[in-house]
Amino acid sequence: MKKLLLASAATAAMTASAFAGSHSEEVKIGIILGFTGPIESLTPSMADGAELAIKEVSDSGLLLGGRTVTSVRADSTCIDAGAATAAAERLITSDGVKGIMGADCSGVTGAILANVAVPNGVVMISPSATSPALSTAEDNGLFFRTAPSDARQGVVMAEILLEAGIQEVAVTYTNNDYGKGLADSFEAAYVERGGTVTLNAAHEDGKADYSAEVGALASAGGDRLVVAGYVDQGGSGVVRAALDSGAFDTFHFPDGMISAALEANFGSEIDGSTGQHPGTDSEGASVFVDLVAGAFDATSPFTPESYDAAALILLAMQAAGSDDPAVYKDHVFHVANAPGEPILPGELAKALQIIADGGDIDYVGATAVELIGPGESAGNYRQIEVKDGVISTVQFR
């Protein structure tokens, strides 16, 4: 899929001149995530991951001949499309960002893409927007994601549950693009493989009482309750209502429910529950943990993907010899996929130098990045189980 980047001596000289001329200029990268809202416990480490890549590139002094890079944060809220769109508009028109790392939740990501990124011609790379609908969104080649589509996650969920002997489940999902897309993908895969979904029903975030929703799910029955929601919002509310009523005592959690907040909220009450989120046991994942060195949670869902998303934006700029999104958007695939010199976390300076010298890279990163189709991750998952109140890794898929 990757194209070799070949440059003549004349082109190389012109590029070097352009780099030198831009030495003192600053490149701004927007980081738009739900710092408030239903996944606010996940986003601090996601932002830290992206900013680690940005600092690494800036400190190298090698981007486009020595340009510094800074980040500008904005709040997507995860759920308020109007607020997210306004925040993204400010990033572009007021702050002058040249690319956006984000957004996070699928609904606001789609809104920003359609209403801000495409009209303004700005590249977005999301680390966590997983709705299958985004695979076919009109994006003018500007949108990528380092997380896989929920079309893949639904299959993984079905396989995990059926391999565990869980033949019948009830499903509750947050009533938005993410929740419905994942619930539908899961049900199709689960039923196709012989499982039974007793009820597939939405819940609204922000409610104080989920007893009615849990009552309907309990009446439908099932060996486990699948909660395709948000850990800092209605998803946890449903789990608490189910535990308090005795309707369900084990659950299956997709990515939006898995964080340290899940352990804090329920501890050993949910022992035996299962789940999955994007993740890999690749060399790059281990290197990323060492690179972070405890400064933040390097294994939190979508944190490695955030490092990779920011890195890809900057490496594509270097490959293009420009921070113009209209130019560097065509180089994201080039730097992300083989062939080329493999690049792991902590090696961004090496990558920048290889590109500046006319060479070719294969950015492996923290998540074994391989972009497919419309520019999304092929998909690897960390399968988890809750044991003694702690989220434990079972295997990687």
Side-chain angles (χ1 to χ4, degrees):
M1 186 179 292
K2 181 131 177 209
K3 302 182 182 73
L4 291 173
L5 302 177
L6 303 176
S8 66
T11 301
M14 290 174 63
T15 301
S17 175
F19 282 0
S22 65
H23 182 82
S24 63
E25 297 178 23
E26 179 183 63
V27 177
K28 293 181 180 180
I29 302 297
I31 295 177
I32 185 162
L33 300 169
F35 296 108
T36 61
I39 61 166
E40 60 187 18
S41 65
L42 293 178
T43 52
S45 63
M46 292 170 65
D48 288 341
E51 288 171 344
L52 180 62
I54 289 169
K55 184 178 187 301
E56 191 179 331
V57 167
S58 191
D59 288 351
S60 76
L62 295 171
L63 178 69
L64 301 178
R67 297 177 68 175
T68 58
V69 191
T70 58
S71 62
V72 184
R73 292 190 181 191
D75 187 4
S76 77
T77 76
C78 176
I79 53 174
D80 186 335
T85 297
E89 191 73 46
R90 286 192 297 273
L91 285 176
I92 295 170
T93 58
S94 298
D95 298 308
V97 302
K98 296 297 186 179
I100 292 176
M101 199 299 298
D104 44 5
C105 299
S106 296
V108 295
T109 298
I112 292 170
L113 177 63
N115 299 318
V116 182
V118 169
N120 289 280
V122 174
V123 167
M124 292 176 64
I125 303 186
S126 172
S128 58
T130 54
S131 170
L134 289 169
S135 297
T136 55
E138 291 294 330
D139 66 356
N140 292 350
L142 294 164
F143 179 67
F144 306 85
R145 44 184 173 173
T146 51
S149 165
D150 281 335
R152 165 75 174 141
Q153 184 171 195
V155 172
V156 171
M157 288 172 65
E159 291 173 347
I160 291 172
L161 286 164
L162 291 169
E163 288 171 15
I166 305 298
Q167 298 289 331
E168 190 174 84
V169 299
V171 179
T172 180
Y173 62 88
T174 183
N175 193 18
N176 62 18
D177 291 353
Y178 159 69
K180 181 165 176 48
L182 178 54
D184 289 348
S185 173
F186 164 70
E187 181 171 19
Y190 190 63
V191 171
E192 180 183 354
R193 289 160 175 76
T196 299
V197 174
T198 61
L199 180 64
N200 189 350
H203 65 260
E204 301 294 337
D205 287 323
K207 295 182 63 176
D209 182 9
Y210 289 93
S211 57
E213 289 85 349
V214 168
L217 293 162
S219 295
D223 300 322
R224 192 158 295 183
L225 177 59
V226 175
V227 185
Y230 295 131
V231 69
D232 297 314
Q233 251 298 341
S236 284
V238 169
V239 173
R240 172 50 60 201
L243 290 170
D244 289 349
S245 66
F248 296 91
D249 57 10
T250 56
F251 307 85
H252 189 86
F253 300 118
D255 47 15
M257 287 296 297
I258 299 173
S259 78
L262 187 69
E263 297 175 344
N265 289 347
F266 305 108
S268 60
E269 289 184 278
I270 56 171
D271 277 1
S273 296
T274 52
Q276 75 289 313
H277 66 80
T280 175
D281 58 349
S282 65
E283 179 185 2
S286 177
V287 170
F288 181 63
V289 171
D290 293 340
L291 183 66
V292 170
F296 52 89
D297 186 354
T299 63
S300 181
F302 304 116
T303 294
E305 287 83 0
S306 298
Y307 176 92
D308 288 347
L312 285 176
I313 290 174
L314 296 168
L315 293 173
M317 288 181 182
Q318 184 82 337
S322 172
D323 67 0
D324 183 349
V327 179
Y328 79 76
K329 70 176 184 177
D330 294 329
H331 293 263
V332 175
F333 264 104
H334 298 170
V335 298
N337 292 352
E341 179 73 18
I343 300 298
L344 297 176
E347 295 184 336
L348 299 185
K350 172 184 173 183
L352 293 166
Q353 189 62 60
I354 290 171
I355 295 169
D357 291 341
D360 199 21
I361 67 165
D362 170 18
Y363 182 75
V364 176
T367 63
V369 171
E370 177 73 14
L371 297 184
I372 60 172
E376 61 197 28
S377 170
N380 299 287
Y381 286 85
R382 174 192 177 208
Q383 179 180 338
I384 65 98
E385 182 178 0
V386 181
K387 297 180 179 180
D388 299 322
V390 175
I391 296 171
S392 304
T393 300
V394 176
Q395 67 178 87
F396 291 88
R397 294 174 176 260

